[in-house]
Amino acid sequence: MSKVVHEPATPHRWPRPPEGTWTQHYPELGTSMMSFEDSVSPEFFELEREAIFKRAWLNVGRVEQVPKTGSYFTKELDVARASIIVVRDRDGAVNAFHNVCRHRGNKLVWNEFPRAETSGTCRQFTCKYHGWRYGLDGGLNFVQQEAEFFDLDKAELGLSPVHCEVWAGFIFVNLDATPRQTLREFLGPMITDLDGYPFDKMTEWYEFSADNQSNWKLFADAFQEYYHVPGLHSQQVPSAVRTPGKGFECAHFQVDGPHRMVSTGGARRWTMPPEFMYPIERVTRSGLVGPWESPELGELPKGLNPGRIEPWGIDNFQIFPNIEILIYHGWYLLYRYWPTSYNSHRFEGMLCFQPARTVRERVEHEVASVVFKEFALQDAGMLTGTQTALESAYRTAGLTEFPVNDQEILVRHFHKAVADWVDVYRHDLAGTDAR
Amino acid sequence: MTQTMLPPAFADLERFALTWCLKTESERYARRLASPMQELIDFYDACFPRVEDALAYCDKFPLEELPEDAIHLLHLVYSLVMVAMAVEIFQQPKPVDSADAELARVCAPWP
């Protein structure tokens, strides 16, 4: 009898946890098919507003946006039905307030259109409606015709504060009356181990904005797995050296509380034979993963490349609920996903470099910025399809469960973290009702 | 006398200057999408061999003190980068499979 020869399993390039898969290393995640009903349900979105966006710490900007006393910007948090002002006060502290005048509730700070975000520098905030004035500390300083009012206590009518804390130069706000955790507690060790990373040196920004017709989590999903890259982004590799059917294996996955990260590894693009690069990449010495060389950064924090991957490529940190920091060699990308309805969201993307010292360096940054947009447009273009097909799947096709593989562990974890926060909220709500 | 936009050493690219010396990424992207592929190829074929020279020329000046004609030349290089995506990678003006997606660049350094 001839011996049965089994095809060997695909050899894994990178070491895996003892359980054999990343997903099974975190048993609470399970391995079953997943529902994405959380991305097609208007009712679930209403729960997310309360359970997540009014309870979690939300990154609204960076300290470089408020460089001096009186620097401010406004942020429209549609998902929480709030508008806030972030401002640096006379003591150098960064504060946040609800963008609402205490006299009859007019929107306090806006420029040309009340719905549009704005920024600038001022000594105080003056309401356009009746001229009430507030200091940088939020105190009510001036009331037009004060004597016309009845028992007006100016000390009680300062701007309504919003909890505001800064980590690594990232400004976070929390709309909860009493946040359940400090910002550092919320971020946890996997994220705060990035303390000391020189984000403050990367002040040359290319900023992007887009309105997408998809649930906010679906775009985040597209950026937290690389399984889709050979399919959707086949053009990332020149056609002459494309290998049909070739997959992509990530080097390291890690989750910590509601947050998650993935590292890629492998030979850097420019160390490969020249045919692996497009001509524009070779001539500008920049491309898909940014400039070939960036200024040295010195010693890096222990939280970077936690899997100690060599050669290391990219760290992709997903901070719950809606921000992503992608750390490359010497520069980083920042994404934010702001829900506007159950099937739409506003995407913000920033490429952050150390300031160019020469024209050549500036062109390197421009190339990275242009390439980023080309491939992000492919992800964004597909999202309308994902959203509409998922809605159809749930409402008409009777399809409610979908398989999620080990390379997509962060997708699995993200939707579970969202569900967990909503469950806690529901539980808290039930407890309140019972009392 | 005809007004020129580029430094004299780049007179061979002057015929592209009016069309492609554009200040913002939004203008460059819109111009790419609105251009027939053959025009993109013609621009690319003429401009790509001059990139090294253009960078060397611009790098003679401090980044913040580029003379106007060098800024025009730099904008032409930016346009070449934009057009290279269509010519080298997608063989069409719009990124393949990008459907109706838009992504607006709302802030960038100058120049």
Side-chain angles (χ1 to χ4, degrees), chain A residues 313-328:
Chain A
I314 305 168
D315 272 359
N316 181 335
F317 288 88
Q318 309 272 334
I319 301 177
F320 187 84
N322 67 332
I323 92 163
E324 170 173 342
I325 303 176
L326 272 150
I327 301 179
Y328 293 79

Side-chain angles (χ1 to χ4, degrees), chain B residues 1 4 12 21 25 33 40 45 53 61 63 70 74 86 91 96 106 109:
Chain B
M1 194 181 120
T4 59
D12 55 316
C21 292
E25 185 267 359
L33 292 196
L40 300 181
D45 286 347
D53 293 343
F61 308 98
L63 184 56
L74 179 58
Q91 281 91 52
V96 172
V106 293

Side-chain angles (χ1 to χ4, degrees), chain B residues 27-84:
Chain B
E27 292 172 281
R28 296 188 285 270
Y29 189 70
R31 179 67 49 83
R32 186 181 103 190
L33 292 196
S35 300
M37 200 59 200
Q38 192 54 52
E39 281 183 26
L40 300 181
I41 292 169
D42 290 346
F43 170 61
Y44 176 88
D45 286 347
C47 207
F48 188 87
R50 303 300 313 279
V51 173
E52 285 287 3
D53 293 343
L55 293 179
Y57 181 88
C58 291
D59 260 341
K60 290 191 294 192
F61 308 98
L63 184 56
E64 305 301 328
E65 295 167 32
L66 285 180
E68 196 176 3
D69 59 357
I71 289 178
H72 290 156
L73 185 61
L74 179 58
H75 287 156
L76 205 66
V77 172
Y78 289 166
S79 284
L80 175 81
V81 171
M82 181 62 77
V83 167

Side-chain angles (χ1 to χ4, degrees), chain A residues 159-418:
Chain A
L159 296 178
S160 179
V162 175
H163 297 280
C164 180
E165 292 183 24
V166 176
W167 166 75
F170 294 94
I171 302 168
F172 286 78
V173 298
N174 191 315
L175 292 160
D176 210 348
T178 311
R180 289 152 177 77
Q181 295 170 296
T182 66
L183 176 61
R184 286 195 74 83
E185 288 165 353
F186 170 76
L187 292 173
M190 187 178 77
I191 304 300
T192 56
D193 276 355
L194 290 173
D195 273 342
Y197 187 81
F199 294 109
D200 59 341
K201 285 187 180 169
M202 300 170 195
T203 54
E204 187 181 297
W205 297 347
Y206 293 73
E207 297 183 49
F208 292 86
S209 173
D211 287 309
N212 286 107
Q213 300 307 307
S214 69
N215 184 275
W216 63 289
K217 298 185 294 298
L218 295 182
F219 208 175
D221 287 346
F223 285 124
Q224 61 180 344
E225 50 89 356
Y226 293 81
Y227 177 58
H228 77 279
V229 170
L232 183 64
H233 307 302
S234 59
Q235 304 89 354
Q236 286 191 353
V237 184
S239 58
V241 291
R242 258 174 236 162
T243 314
K246 192 179 177 204
F248 189 95
E249 185 189 352
C250 291
H252 180 77
F253 294 97
Q254 198 167 316
V255 306
D256 180 20
H259 317 293
R260 65 207 75 87
M261 73 87 61
V262 51
S263 299
T264 66
R268 293 169 198 166
R269 196 171 170 96
W270 55 88
T271 62
M272 299 163 84
E275 61 267 28
F276 281 82
M277 284 175 294
Y278 287 104
I280 194 69
E281 295 181 279
R282 291 197 295 267
V283 75
T284 59
R285 303 178 60 78
S286 181
L288 184 64
V289 291
W292 294 4
E293 288 174 29
S294 290
E296 285 301 318
L297 291 168
E299 196 176 337
L300 293 170
K302 63 179 176 181
L304 198 70
N305 186 12
R308 303 292 172 253
I309 301 306
E310 186 55 47
W312 172 81
I314 305 168
D315 272 359
N316 181 335
F317 288 88
Q318 309 272 334
I319 301 177
F320 187 84
N322 67 332
I323 92 163
E324 170 173 342
I325 303 176
L326 272 150
I327 301 179
Y328 293 79
H329 281 273
W331 66 287
Y332 73 97
L333 264 170
L334 176 69
Y335 301 155
R336 301 187 191 95
Y337 313 91
W338 296 108
T340 47
S341 77
Y342 79 95
N343 62 2
S344 64
H345 73 278
R346 168 154 287 203
F347 170 76
E348 295 173 345
M350 279 170 69
L351 294 89
C352 306
F353 300 97
Q354 300 180 69
R357 298 163 299 192
T358 63
V359 166
R360 181 172 270 284
E361 287 185 356
R362 178 60 57 72
V363 170
E364 291 171 3
H365 300 170
E366 177 71 21
V367 172
S369 177
V370 167
V371 176
F372 154 76
K373 172 167 164 171
E374 304 289 327
F375 291 109
L377 280 170
Q378 293 187 324
D379 294 294
M382 196 193 45
L383 287 174
T384 312
T386 311
Q387 183 70 40
T388 51
L390 263 187
E391 289 186 22
S392 155
Y394 278 84
R395 290 168 190 170
T396 60
L399 302 173
T400 59
E401 292 195 310
F402 302 88
V404 174
N405 73 33
D406 201 37
Q407 291 293 312
E408 299 168 297
I409 176 177
L410 300 197
V411 172
R412 188 184 291 278
H413 175 267
F414 181 34
H415 289 263
K416 182 176 186 303
V418 166

